[in-house]
């Protein structure tokens, strides 16, 4: 039977779902978004600002793609869902009926109750409109304050520095992104941030944003009482599921939209995927809300199967992620906790230039390999995925580390140096001594 | 730079000073479309052992050098490491690399056009050789002198020269290499079907940002492959490596490996089911 499937949100989750439903079926598909007419890569917003790309370049599919694949795009905003009549009402006044509904509305930037957070020149960065605002807000300015020490914060800092705008970063934690990164690498990234002429202030929070006579930001006051003159403030203190618009609906939410293993909400025929989702069930080593590109994509693949008559539980494999901190690429596979845990051992190697590092973690008793953080050295996802899924031990991983290297030809290789340092601090692991 | 300086300029000039034929040891037919012209062949034959060696060398490059080197290194051994047009494109043309058209339509035009030029150059050469052996200027129903004149003027001078460099600011720096060069077409056919070279994508790490596609001078929509976890095996790829360099997530890598599994499965690592 041919169904009408309505997808709210044209980000990576919603679009992946649409594409896979099209691959698997002849259902009619409508994707509604009020952000942009066509799917673009949110992760590339910074490159538009920095002049590396134009907006057009960030669209992964040419505009004819959607019509050819019979995926209807509607540029409108969903205001309400009628879960009984199975209709969504749009801002334009239209009522659209659905057989299955997929909610993929992503995240929104967090803002806390800081005095002055609504002043002109104060904003977050998540959406394309945010980027357009930032373009306007940062014209001819001298200094900016970035609040938050996470992935968006450092991106915004890099964007501003590319236009030679002075940047002060306020980070609540002891080190940059230290709620995720272990101290060693967090400190290395901190040095790197400072090497890009950013005034990085750790263990410092925003207290107040002060306006000039035109209602525009003039300066900020920090928790340590310092005041910093600035013409722009970026609030980059995380994101939360974009679900406020569901208030009052029958769809069950907590911090995000609650879903079961099949990504179904409490209401039949309504599914939710991507950043806006909170899993009702636990998965080992994973949080119940995961707001990254990859999980959105994977959920899109899975929900398409379920909707097309092949019910499939969402079972992501080992955790992985990546980012880039100015010049330092970061990849992670498995779990490297940010604090030492009793049952785990770790080994950290950092190159003398402070631009490359590797951190591996394994279980003390069983030697089972648990995870790796790698900086400035590219590693193969396929290797680590296989090793994590087959419970390889740390011996195996260190013996085969060179196989996992994914750096381009003619790049220097660091495995000998890493292994030498590893065996120096873990002498019982030297191959000849392992069985002794 | 090294190849251009030594092989295209220094060595030929020295040869001329020594009253030997002007010969660019690294230029290969059919890019060097006049290689089999009667005047060139006669000149080489008139120069004894050295001339014969040059003739043999040129032919060996065509039938052995190209396939073997492309098999082991990919087309880049010529287009990026040796070729003079390529060298100019990567230096003078570098600021224009993002201007190459990435649309599917452009790719279709590219395939028709470059292979047409290849066919044209082969037919033209065959006609010229026919004339050389038989002395008859009519090859089937065309005049081989007219044919080489047309090829020389429109392809050699017009396309490769005027469009090939003059259109850098319009169609990107590899416009000739992409749409016209018959040698690139020949190298590309081998790269596509019989080579160890490929661009590997790294599991599920692609974020579809588009830097790779934007900066590809050959107009390859690299992201199309990367975001579906597929290796990139394209005849046009000159292996410049920019996609790997600009990728912010370490997804792309130029690799030379066993041919088996080269095209790769379309696979994004992530879901276990």
């Amino acid at each position: 039977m041919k169904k009408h499937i309505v997808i709210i949100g044209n980000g990576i989750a919603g679009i992946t779902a649409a594409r896979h439903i099209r691959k698997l079926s002849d259902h009619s598909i409508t994707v509604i978004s009020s952000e942009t007419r066509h799917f673009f890569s949110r992760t590339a917003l910074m490159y538009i600002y920095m002049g590396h790309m134009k907006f057009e370049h960030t669209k992964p599919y040419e505009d004819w793609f959607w019509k050819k694949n019979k995926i209807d795009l509607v540029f409108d905003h969903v205001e309400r869902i009628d879960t009984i009549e199975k209709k969504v009402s749009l801002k334009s006044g239209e009522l659209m009926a659905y057989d299955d509904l997929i909610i993929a509305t992503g995240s929104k930037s967090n803002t806390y109750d800081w005095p002055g957070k609504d002043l002109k020149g104060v904003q977050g960065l998540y959406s394309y409109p945010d980027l357009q605002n930032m373009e306007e807000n940062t014209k001819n300015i001298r200094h900016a304050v970035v609040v938050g020490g996470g992935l968006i914060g450092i991106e915004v800092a890099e964007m501003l520095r590319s236009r030679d705008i002075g940047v002060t970063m306020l980070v609540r934690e002891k080190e940059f992104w230290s709620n995720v990164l272990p101290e060693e690498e967090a400190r290395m990234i901190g040095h790197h941030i400072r090497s890009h002429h950013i005034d990085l202030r750790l263990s410092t929070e925003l207290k107040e944003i002060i306006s000039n006579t035109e209602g525009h930001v003039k300066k900020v006051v920090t928790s340590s009482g310092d005041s910093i003159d600035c013409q722009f403030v970026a609030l980059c203190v995380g994101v939360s599921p974009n679900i406020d618009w569901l208030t009052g609906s029958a769809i069950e939410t907590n911090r995000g939209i609650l879903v079961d293993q099949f990504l179904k909400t409490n209401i039949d025929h309504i599914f939710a995927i991507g950043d806006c989702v909170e899993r009702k069930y636990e998965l080992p080593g994973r949080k119940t809300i995961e707001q990254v590109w990859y999980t959105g994509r994977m959920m899109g693949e899975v929900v398409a199967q379920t909707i097309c008559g092949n019910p499939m539980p969402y079972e992501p494999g080992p955790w992985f992620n990546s980012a880039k901190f100015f010049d330092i690429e970061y990849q992670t596979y498995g779990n490297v906790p940010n604090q030492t845990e009793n049952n785990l051992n770790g080994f950290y190697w950092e190159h003398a230039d402070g631009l490359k590092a590797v951190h591996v973690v394994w279980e003390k008793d069983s030697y089972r390999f648990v995870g790796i953080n790698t900086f400035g050295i590219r590693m193969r996802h396929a290797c680590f995925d296989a090793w994590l899924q087959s419970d390889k031990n740390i011996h195996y991983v260190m013996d085969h580390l060179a196989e996992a290297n994914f750096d381009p030809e003619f790049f220097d290789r660091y495995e000998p140096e890493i292994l030498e340092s590893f065996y120096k601090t873990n002498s019982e692991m030297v191959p000849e001594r392992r069985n002794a | 730079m090294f190849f251009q300086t030594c092989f295209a300029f220094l060595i030929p000039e020295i040869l001329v000073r020594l009253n030997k034929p002007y010969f660019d040891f690294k230029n290969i037919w059919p890019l060097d479309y006049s290689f089999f012209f009667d005047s060139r062949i006669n000149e080489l034959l008139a120069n004894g052992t050295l001339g014969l060696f040059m003739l043999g060398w040129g032919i060996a490059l065509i039938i052995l050098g190209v396939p073997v080197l492309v098999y082991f290194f990919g087309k880049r051994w010529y287009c990026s490491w040796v070729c003079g047009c390529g060298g100019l494109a990567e230096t003078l043309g570098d600021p224009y690399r993002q201007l190459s058209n990435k649309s599917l339509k452009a790719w279709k035009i590219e395939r028709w056009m470059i292979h047409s030029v290849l066919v044209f150059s082969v037919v033209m050469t065959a006609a010229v050789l026919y004339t050389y052996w038989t002395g008859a200027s009519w090859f089937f129903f065309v005049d081989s002198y007219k044919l080489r004149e047309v090829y020389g003027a429109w392809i050699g001078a017009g396309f490769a020269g005027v469009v090939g460099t003059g259109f850098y600011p319009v169609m990107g720096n590899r416009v000739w290499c992409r749409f016209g060069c018959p040698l690139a077409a020949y190298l590309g056919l081998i790269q596509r079907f019989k080579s160890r070279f490929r661009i590997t994508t790294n599991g599920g790490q692609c974020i579809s940002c588009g830097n790779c596609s934007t900066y590809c001078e050959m107009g390859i929509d690299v992201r199309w492959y990367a975001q579906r976890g597929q290796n990139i095996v394209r005849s046009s790829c000159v292996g410049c490596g920019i996609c790997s360099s600009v990728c912010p997530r370490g997804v792309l890598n130029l690799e030379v490996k066993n041919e088996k599994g080269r095209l790769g499965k379309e696979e994004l690592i992530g879901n276990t089911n």
Side-chain angles (χ1 to χ4, degrees):
Chain A
M1 191 201 72
K2 198 169 157 174
K3 299 192 278 192
H4 182 214
I5 293 148
V6 172
I7 300 169
I8 311 175
N10 70 348
I12 180 64
I15 288 299
T16 305
R19 279 180 45 243
H20 282 260
I21 292 169
R22 177 50 70 242
K23 280 189 190 181
L24 297 166
S25 76
D26 194 32
H27 297 314
S28 56
I29 304 169
T30 305
V31 182
I32 308 170
S33 168
S34 58
E35 186 185 8
T36 51
R37 283 179 194 280
H38 297 101
F39 170 48
F40 74 101
S41 178
R42 190 174 304 294
T43 48
L45 283 175
M46 65 182 294
Y47 302 111
I48 303 176
Y49 185 88
M50 292 165 72
H52 295 193
M53 286 193 279
K54 295 178 182 171
F55 176 69
E56 287 302 307
H57 294 126
T58 68
K59 291 193 218 169
Y61 301 92
E62 290 181 62
D63 292 351
W64 52 259
F65 176 88
W66 310 104
K67 197 171 174 197
K68 184 177 169 242
N69 290 290
K70 290 184 289 171
I71 295 171
D72 290 332
L73 304 180
V74 173
F75 188 55
D76 206 333
H77 191 81
V78 176
E79 297 197 311
R80 224 173 55 82
I81 303 171
D82 186 335
T83 54
I84 296 161
E85 293 290 319
K86 289 174 72 178
K87 280 183 179 139
V88 293
S89 46
L90 305 180
K91 198 171 185 178
S92 63
E94 193 189 333
L95 278 177
M96 187 182 284
Y98 63 83
D99 296 307
D100 285 320
L101 180 69
I102 302 173
I103 304 174
T105 49
S107 304
K108 58 180 175 42
S109 302
N110 288 340
T111 53
Y112 298 100
D113 274 333
W114 289 301
K117 71 179 169 64
D118 297 319
L119 291 173
K120 278 183 242 163
V122 181
Q123 67 165 104
L125 182 69
Y126 178 80
S127 64
Y128 184 58
D130 288 341
L131 182 77
Q132 292 169 311
N133 289 338
M134 183 168 165
E135 189 66 50
E136 281 306 308
N137 284 335
T138 56
K139 278 215 170 96
N140 305 317
I141 68 166
R142 289 182 313 281
H143 200 83
V145 171
V146 175
V147 184
L151 297 180
I152 298 181
I154 194 168
E155 283 186 4
V156 172
E158 184 176 352
M159 290 157 76
L160 294 163
R161 289 302 299 137
S162 76
R163 297 195 182 181
D164 215 16
I165 296 164
V167 175
T168 300
M169 268 179 99
L170 306 182
V171 174
R172 183 183 57 183
E173 287 76 24
K174 218 167 75 192
E175 294 290 344
F176 170 78
W177 211 31
S178 58
N179 53 339
V180 173
L181 294 179
E183 199 178 332
E184 297 94 329
E185 44 261 58
R187 197 175 295 146
M188 179 182 80
I189 301 297
H191 282 299
H192 187 59
I193 291 172
R194 289 191 167 117
S195 77
H196 280 271
H197 311 287
I198 286 168
D199 172 18
L200 175 64
R201 302 198 187 182
L202 301 168
S203 307
T204 308
E205 290 183 59
L206 172 67
K207 207 169 129 203
E208 191 181 355
I209 308 170
I210 295 173
S211 86
N212 65 11
T213 46
E214 284 108 56
H216 197 280
V217 54
K218 182 174 79 174
K219 62 180 182 177
V220 303
V221 181
T222 70
S223 55
S224 49
D226 297 328
S227 74
I228 304 159
D229 289 339
C230 61
Q231 299 80 43
F232 178 71
V233 177
L235 301 177
C236 310
V237 286
V239 293
S240 325
N242 175 19
I243 56 166
D244 292 346
W245 62 285
L246 287 170
T247 312
S249 86
I251 297 166
E252 197 186 350
T253 61
N254 179 35
R255 283 165 60 212
I257 301 170
L258 291 166
V259 296
D260 65 14
Q261 276 163 310
F262 294 95
L263 303 169
K264 199 176 78 58
T265 66
N266 61 317
I267 311 276
D268 281 346
H269 302 291
I270 301 185
F271 300 81
I273 54 173
D275 276 17
C276 61
V277 159
E278 178 173 351
R279 271 187 284 106
K280 271 197 258 189
Y281 60 103
E282 293 288 328
L283 284 169
R286 305 189 74 117
K287 295 175 183 153
T288 52
I289 301 181
E290 292 180 331
Q291 292 152 314
V292 294
W293 178 268
Y294 311 114
T295 52
R297 186 181 69 204
M298 292 191 273
M299 287 183 182
E301 292 169 3
V302 168
V303 80
Q305 294 284 345
T306 301
I307 282 181
C308 294
N310 174 28
M312 187 181 275
Y314 173 59
E315 283 167 5
W319 169 255
F320 69 97
N321 200 5
S322 64
K324 192 171 182 187
F325 309 113
F326 285 91
D327 311 321
I328 302 181
E329 284 176 21
Y330 155 73
Q331 295 179 336
T332 186
Y333 302 105
N335 296 91
V336 180
N338 66 332
Q339 275 165 359
T340 46
E341 289 178 16
N342 282 333
N343 60 329
L344 299 178
N345 258 342
F347 163 75
Y348 178 76
W349 168 86
E350 187 178 311
H351 189 267
D353 66 9
L355 300 171
K356 295 169 208 79
V358 169
H359 197 151
V360 286
V361 175
W362 64 94
E363 280 176 0
K364 259 183 201 163
D365 300 335
S366 67
Y367 292 99
R368 189 176 71 90
F369 170 65
V370 180
I372 182 167
N373 280 346
T374 168
F375 298 82
I377 300 175
R378 295 173 172 180
M379 303 256 189
R380 268 174 222 277
H381 189 180
C383 286
F384 283 105
D385 191 68
W387 296 347
L388 286 161
Q389 292 210 44
S390 57
D391 288 328
K392 290 281 184 279
N393 60 27
I394 185 68
H395 305 309
Y396 184 93
V397 170
M398 295 314 273
D399 289 348
H400 294 81
L401 196 60
E403 276 170 40
N405 187 299
F406 197 67
D407 271 339
E409 308 155 294
F410 314 121
F411 272 45
D412 290 336
R413 304 283 140 146
Y414 300 96
E415 287 84 14
E417 196 186 321
I418 295 169
L419 287 178
E420 196 193 317
S421 155
F422 177 70
Y423 292 130
K424 207 177 271 172
T425 46
N426 297 275
S427 54
E428 79 286 1
M429 301 248 205
V430 174
E432 304 82 67
R433 284 191 221 161
R434 271 179 212 161
N435 298 323
Chain B
M1 283 289 192
F2 163 79
F3 273 96
Q4 200 57 17
T5 313
C6 294
F7 285 82
F9 299 120
L10 274 180
I11 293 178
E13 291 300 336
I14 293 169
L15 284 168
V16 172
R17 295 286 145 83
L18 298 172
N19 280 329
K20 300 291 181 212
Y22 181 98
F23 194 77
D24 178 352
F25 283 94
K26 63 147 190 54
N27 206 355
I28 306 178
W29 178 91
L31 174 60
D32 182 12
Y33 61 89
S34 61
F35 183 71
F36 291 108
F37 282 10
D38 47 3
S39 56
R40 296 270 306 267
I41 296 181
N42 287 334
E43 184 191 12
L44 292 181
L45 290 178
N47 271 279
T49 322
L50 180 67
L52 274 179
F53 170 74
M54 286 171 172
L55 191 61
W57 171 260
I59 294 169
L61 275 182
I62 299 163
I63 57 176
L64 283 176
V66 167
V68 170
L69 289 169
V70 173
Y71 177 75
F72 285 108
F73 301 109
K75 176 180 175 175
R76 58 192 173 146
W77 83 265
Y78 193 79
C79 299
S80 290
W81 299 350
V82 172
C83 180
C85 306
L88 188 68
E90 301 285 352
T91 49
L92 181 72
D94 192 57
Y96 308 106
R97 56 165 53 243
Q98 76 284 3
L99 299 172
S100 62
N101 191 321
K102 311 305 185 306
S103 69
L104 191 61
K105 201 170 149 196
W107 184 22
K108 284 183 183 157
I109 295 171
E110 164 197 321
R111 280 177 294 176
W112 273 104
M113 199 175 277
I114 190 167
H115 294 120
S116 304
V117 174
L118 176 62
V119 170
F120 188 12
S121 68
V122 171
V123 170
M124 186 267 296
T125 304
V128 167
L129 280 176
Y130 175 80
T131 306
Y132 181 73
W133 299 124
T134 64
S137 71
W138 284 92
F139 177 70
F140 294 103
F141 44 85
V142 285
D143 179 352
S144 78
Y145 290 103
K146 185 75 191 159
L147 202 60
R148 75 168 83 170
E149 194 183 306
V150 170
Y151 189 93
W154 289 100
I155 306 291
F159 200 163
V162 178
V163 176
T165 50
F167 278 42
Y168 277 4
V170 185
M171 299 168 78
N173 55 332
R174 285 274 191 176
V175 46
W176 160 249
C177 314
R178 181 184 179 193
F179 292 102
C181 178
L183 179 56
Y186 172 37
L187 290 153
L189 286 171
I190 292 163
Q191 169 160 284
R192 172 67 186 76
F193 295 107
K194 192 72 191 167
S195 170
R196 294 158 63 91
F197 174 77
R198 86 291 309 267
I199 302 176
T200 319
T201 57
N202 194 4
Q205 291 278 26
C206 177
I207 52 168
S208 300
C209 69
N211 276 298
C212 51
S213 293
T214 303
Y215 287 98
C216 178
E217 55 189 350
M218 292 305 282
I220 299 172
D221 192 356
V222 185
R223 167 173 56 190
W224 176 269
Y225 301 87
Q227 67 190 357
R228 58 193 1 228
Q230 201 176 18
N231 288 351
I232 296 130
V233 176
R234 279 277 289 268
S235 55
S236 64
C237 175
V238 292
C240 69
I242 195 81
C243 54
S244 172
S245 301
V246 298
C247 175
R249 305 299 176 104
V251 175
L252 299 159
N253 198 5
L254 281 61
E255 291 191 284
V256 174
K257 272 193 201 166
N258 198 325
E259 264 189 282
K260 223 176 106 190
R262 172 172 177 247
L263 296 170
K265 276 183 299 192
E266 196 189 299
E267 189 185 19
L268 287 171
I269 294 174
N271 285 313
T272 50
N273 40 22

